[in-house]
């Protein structure tokens, strides 16, 4: 069996977008499911837009998601370097080869001349194609222009007839009419290769077996196949993964909320949730299961089950998944994740670790993001300074509210330590002896103790807060009502 070698090849010109993260994930799942290798390659030939910050951000994003690579930056490998900017001599060698073989040619047309050609095509309502002006330059003309110091681009000679067929593992055969392509540029005037050329050289020399990438590159693939052809080297297999669209099927943009991995991290999402969500954006494991472990994803991943149609980005599903993972995650880990901001609030200290963990454990099942834990846990760390308005109208304004709270207060003061199960029993019999339903004592007590009408189970909350705090808060509520 051939060696499976796939790659994720981001251009470090921005953040790690969820589209890129999904491409990385599909490559990773493919490699891991077949015992193959994932190569990370930084495509930084766009010198004006590539930045070191972006490269670092992308690498951090992948690490955070738990997508590891076998060769690439920070790892090395036998087929490096893994940054295109460090591979210029290799590209130059093969550009020269194509020039020497007459398969490519120098083009000296200035941007102004090309603009005139383009405008002419537009006026005649034709698709613009480079007219091939420089294709017929003789070698002595070329030599002369080079000697004058002109800095030409290099174009590939593209056949005017026939079709180029992309055999796509997701889409089947996609045909491109060669007539619609022009002699496209493979090296820019500064000597740097264009994306299409560099990618071919790298995929070949890095022994990539499968190129799994975004659909937006499908139209580049015939160009790349023509380069493979010209260089007489075999192309890898291709799989173009569909676009991710907004719920209204428009292009995904900022207005649809967070779209970069870093933003999700900073908003309190867990990597497992994002991985789980992204895996199902276009891939269907063939059952209705939504929550999947990474092991299950690896075991079940198959390009045959990746959809041709666009995937719809639905943050409510992601948020739901995040809530699930927050509720299920190891509590120590959740604690570590929020430790820093919780310390900044003065909530977590070196002395209250156990208490904090119990609080998180109690409230987390309602948290959809890590930061919602802070809201849900507020009254465990801060005094109650106001009461939910509707709740106060309902439970504090009714006759008998003070009597009810006083009864609970007395009940607590007769017990030294509060245990949830005991409390419940006592409160129920207290209610009975007053001819009330238990809920008639529970609701005002909850409001007094937390300021809220919704909390986790009241008795667990009281146990955790302790008798003293509960009594103090009930007294405070009684004076508020009185
Ligand atoms: N560097 C390209 C990008 O970031 C990816 C190219 C490829 O996968 O072939 O879109």
């Amino acid at each position: 069996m051939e060696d499976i070698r796939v790659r994720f090849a981001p251009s470090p010109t921005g953040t790690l977008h969820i589209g890129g993260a999904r491409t990385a994930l599909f490559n990773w799942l493919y490699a891991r499911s077949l015992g193959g290798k994932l190569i990370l390659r930084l495509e930084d030939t766009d010198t004006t837009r590539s930045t070191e910050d972006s490269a670092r951000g992308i690498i951090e994003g992948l690490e955070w998601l738990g997508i590891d690579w076998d060769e690439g930056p920070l790892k090395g490998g036998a087929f490096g370097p893994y940054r295109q900017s460090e591979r210029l001599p290799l590209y130059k060698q093969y550009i020269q080869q194509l020039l020497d073989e007459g398969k490519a040619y120098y083009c000296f047309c200035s941007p102004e001349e090309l603009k005139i050609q383009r405008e002419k095509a537009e006026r005649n309502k034709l698709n613009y194609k480079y007219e091939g002006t420089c294709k017929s330059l003789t070698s002595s003309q070329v030599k002369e222009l080079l000697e004058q110091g002109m800095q030409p681009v290099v174009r590939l000679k593209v056949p005017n007839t026939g079709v180029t067929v992309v055999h796509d593992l997701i889409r089947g055969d996609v045909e491109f009419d060669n007539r619609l392509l022009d002699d496209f540029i493979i090296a820019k005037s500064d000597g740097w290769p264009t994306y299409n050329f560099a990618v071919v050289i790298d995929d070949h020399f890095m022994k990539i077996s499968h190129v799994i990438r975004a659909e937006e590159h499908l139209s580049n693939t015939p160009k790349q196949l023509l380069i493979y052809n010209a260089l007489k080297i075999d192309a890898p297999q291709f799989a173009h993964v569909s676009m991710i669209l907004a719920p209204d099927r428009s292009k995904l943009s900022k207005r649809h909320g967070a779209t970069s991995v870093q933003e999700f991290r900073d908003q309190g999402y867990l990597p497992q949730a994002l991985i789980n969500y992204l895996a199902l954006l276009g891939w269907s494991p063939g059952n209705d299961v939504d929550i999947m472990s990474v092991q299950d994803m690896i075991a079940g991943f198959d390009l045959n089950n990746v959809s041709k149609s666009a995937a719809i980005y639905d943050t409510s599903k992601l948020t739901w998944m995040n809530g699930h993972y927050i509720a299920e995650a190891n509590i120590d880990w959740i604690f570590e994740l929020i430790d820093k901001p919780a310390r900044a609030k003065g909530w977590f200290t070196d002395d209250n670790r156990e208490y904090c963990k119990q609080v998180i454990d109690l409230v987390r099942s309602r948290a959809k993001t890590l930061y919602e834990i802070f809201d849900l846990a507020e009254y465990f760390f801060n005094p109650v300074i106001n009461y939910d308005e509707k709740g106060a109208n309902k439970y504090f304004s009714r006759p008998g509210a003070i009597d009810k709270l006083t009864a609970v207060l007395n009940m607590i003061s007769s017990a030294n330590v509060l245990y949830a199960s005991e409390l419940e029993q006592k409160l129920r019999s207290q209610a009975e002896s007053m001819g009330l339903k238990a809920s008639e004592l529970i609701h005002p007590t909850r409001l007094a103790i937390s300021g809220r009408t919704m909390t986790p189970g009241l008795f667990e909350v009281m146990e955790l807060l302790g008798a003293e705090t509960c009594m103090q808060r009930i007294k405070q509520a009684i004076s508020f009502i009185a």
Side-chain angles (χ1 to χ4, degrees):
M1 202 181 116
E2 69 172 324
D3 284 344
I4 302 289
R5 289 176 59 84
V6 294
R7 79 318 189 261
F8 177 51
S11 305
T13 54
T15 55
L16 179 59
H17 189 265
I18 53 153
R22 189 203 39 179
T23 301
L25 176 63
F26 280 17
N27 276 285
W28 184 74
L29 290 173
Y30 192 67
R32 296 291 171 258
S33 67
L34 295 170
K37 297 259 189 290
L38 173 65
I39 286 89
L40 175 63
R41 178 172 77 223
L42 292 174
E43 302 208 322
D44 57 350
T45 52
D46 186 343
T47 46
T48 49
R49 293 176 58 226
S50 299
T51 67
E52 211 31 58
D53 259 8
S54 159
R56 206 173 311 116
I58 290 170
I59 286 175
E60 272 173 22
L62 292 171
E63 286 174 337
W64 179 75
L65 287 168
I67 298 178
D68 60 342
W69 53 99
D70 304 289
E71 294 170 28
L74 308 181
K75 277 268 164 85
F79 303 96
Y82 294 94
R83 275 176 185 260
Q84 290 190 326
S85 55
E86 293 169 15
R87 300 172 63 82
L88 282 187
L90 189 67
Y91 308 132
K92 288 196 168 150
Q93 180 187 337
Y94 287 92
I95 285 165
Q96 192 57 50
Q97 178 184 314
L98 292 180
L99 284 167
D100 293 345
E101 292 175 356
K103 292 175 178 167
Y105 60 91
Y106 285 118
C107 168
F108 297 88
C109 294
S110 65
E112 294 73 35
E113 285 169 285
L114 296 176
K115 190 165 165 239
I116 293 170
Q117 286 187 16
R118 188 170 293 119
E119 284 168 356
K120 192 170 120 200
E122 271 164 23
R123 268 198 311 279
N124 296 331
K125 302 212 164 23
L126 294 171
N127 271 340
Y128 168 71
K129 265 177 72 169
Y130 174 62
E131 288 173 1
T133 325
C134 292
K135 192 149 98 179
S136 49
L137 290 176
T138 62
S139 48
S140 56
Q141 283 172 311
V142 168
K143 193 160 169 262
E144 202 182 310
L145 289 166
L146 289 176
E147 275 166 9
Q148 283 171 19
M150 298 274 282
Q151 291 194 312
V153 300
V154 178
R155 291 180 183 269
L156 187 79
K157 285 186 187 164
V158 171
N160 233 333
T161 56
V163 289
T164 299
V165 183
V166 178
H167 302 291
D168 190 281
L169 294 172
I170 296 173
R171 279 147 220 285
D173 284 356
V174 189
E175 289 190 2
F176 293 85
D177 204 332
N178 290 340
R179 262 181 322 132
L180 300 176
L181 299 175
D182 64 359
D183 291 348
F184 58 89
I185 299 175
I186 55 175
K188 297 175 254 184
S189 57
D190 57 8
W192 284 66
T194 55
Y195 155 68
N196 280 315
F197 191 78
V199 90
V200 165
I201 295 294
D202 291 345
D203 285 341
H204 174 68
F205 284 100
M206 292 181 184
K207 298 198 183 311
I208 299 303
S209 62
H210 294 75
V211 167
I212 303 170
R213 64 182 167 200
E215 184 182 0
E216 62 184 14
H217 287 295
L218 181 61
S219 58
N220 285 319
T221 311
K223 295 184 183 175
Q224 292 169 20
L225 286 173
L226 289 166
I227 299 173
Y228 281 105
N229 237 346
L231 290 169
K232 293 208 187 65
I233 52 180
D234 287 337
Q237 301 205 57
F238 292 97
H240 289 89
V241 182
S242 305
M243 312 255 281
I244 302 176
L245 296 179
D248 60 1
R249 302 194 76 82
S250 64
K251 194 168 179 282
L252 201 54
S253 71
K254 278 277 150 222
R255 75 193 159 90
H256 301 108
T259 50
S260 86
V261 169
Q262 275 144 317
E263 276 175 285
F264 281 112
R265 184 195 58 197
D266 296 346
Q267 288 179 8
Y269 284 81
L270 295 183
Q272 293 94 324
L274 207 53
I275 286 278
N276 193 156
Y277 177 70
L278 291 177
L280 299 179
L281 265 188
W283 169 56
S284 146
N287 53 31
D288 282 338
V289 176
D290 273 324
I291 298 292
M292 289 186 85
S293 69
V294 164
Q295 288 75 16
D296 290 344
M297 290 176 208
I298 291 175
F301 191 77
D302 184 348
L303 282 177
N304 288 323
N305 295 336
V306 173
S307 169
K308 273 198 274 228
S309 26
I312 303 295
Y313 180 64
D314 168 10
T315 37
S316 59
K317 184 165 174 189
L318 168 61
T319 306
W320 168 77
M321 283 183 172
N322 202 45
H324 167 85
Y325 283 101
I326 289 176
E328 297 289 307
N330 176 302
I331 194 71
D332 291 312
W333 185 54
I334 300 284
F335 181 84
E336 294 308 327
L337 289 175
I338 62 171
D339 186 47
K340 205 168 155 205
R343 277 179 190 267
K345 279 174 169 292
W347 289 8
F348 290 11
T349 66
D350 289 338
D351 307 323
N352 67 357
R353 260 185 99 87
E354 259 330 290
Y355 175 72
C356 297
K357 272 192 209 167
Q358 287 172 345
V359 170
I360 299 170
D361 209 12
L362 194 57
V363 302
R364 65 170 160 164
S365 64
R366 282 176 192 269
K368 297 280 176 267
T369 69
L370 286 176
Y371 295 107
E372 279 184 21
I373 292 177
F374 290 131
D375 174 50
L376 293 165
E378 236 246 301
Y379 57 91
F380 284 98
F381 297 97
N382 291 340
V384 172
I385 46 172
N386 47 36
Y387 301 101
D388 176 271
E389 210 180 302
K390 275 196 192 140
N393 286 336
K394 207 161 161 194
Y395 306 122
F396 285 176
S397 309
R398 291 203 183 141
I402 293 187
D403 292 345
K404 290 176 191 165
L405 288 174
T406 309
V408 178
L409 181 64
N410 293 336
M411 197 188 90
I412 301 172
S413 63
S414 65
N416 276 339
V417 189
L418 302 185
Y419 294 110
S421 56
E422 253 174 50
L423 261 176
E424 172 157 19
Q425 215 185 358
K426 282 192 186 161
L427 185 135
R428 288 191 189 282
S429 36
Q430 177 66 40
E432 214 177 294
S433 71
M434 295 169 79
L436 299 170
K437 285 188 274 175
S439 60
E440 290 176 89
L441 291 186
I442 289 175
H443 292 315
T445 307
R446 168 177 284 124
L447 187 62
I449 277 175
S450 65
R452 303 177 181 204
T453 53
M454 291 222 306
T455 66
L458 174 67
F459 308 111
E460 282 80 15
V461 170
M462 289 172 76
E463 177 179 323
L464 204 46
L465 283 169
E468 209 170 302
T469 306
C470 289
M471 289 195 296
Q472 178 271 319
R473 289 189 183 178
I474 293 174
K475 283 183 200 155
Q476 175 187 318
I478 292 173
S479 0
F480 172 81
I481 300 169

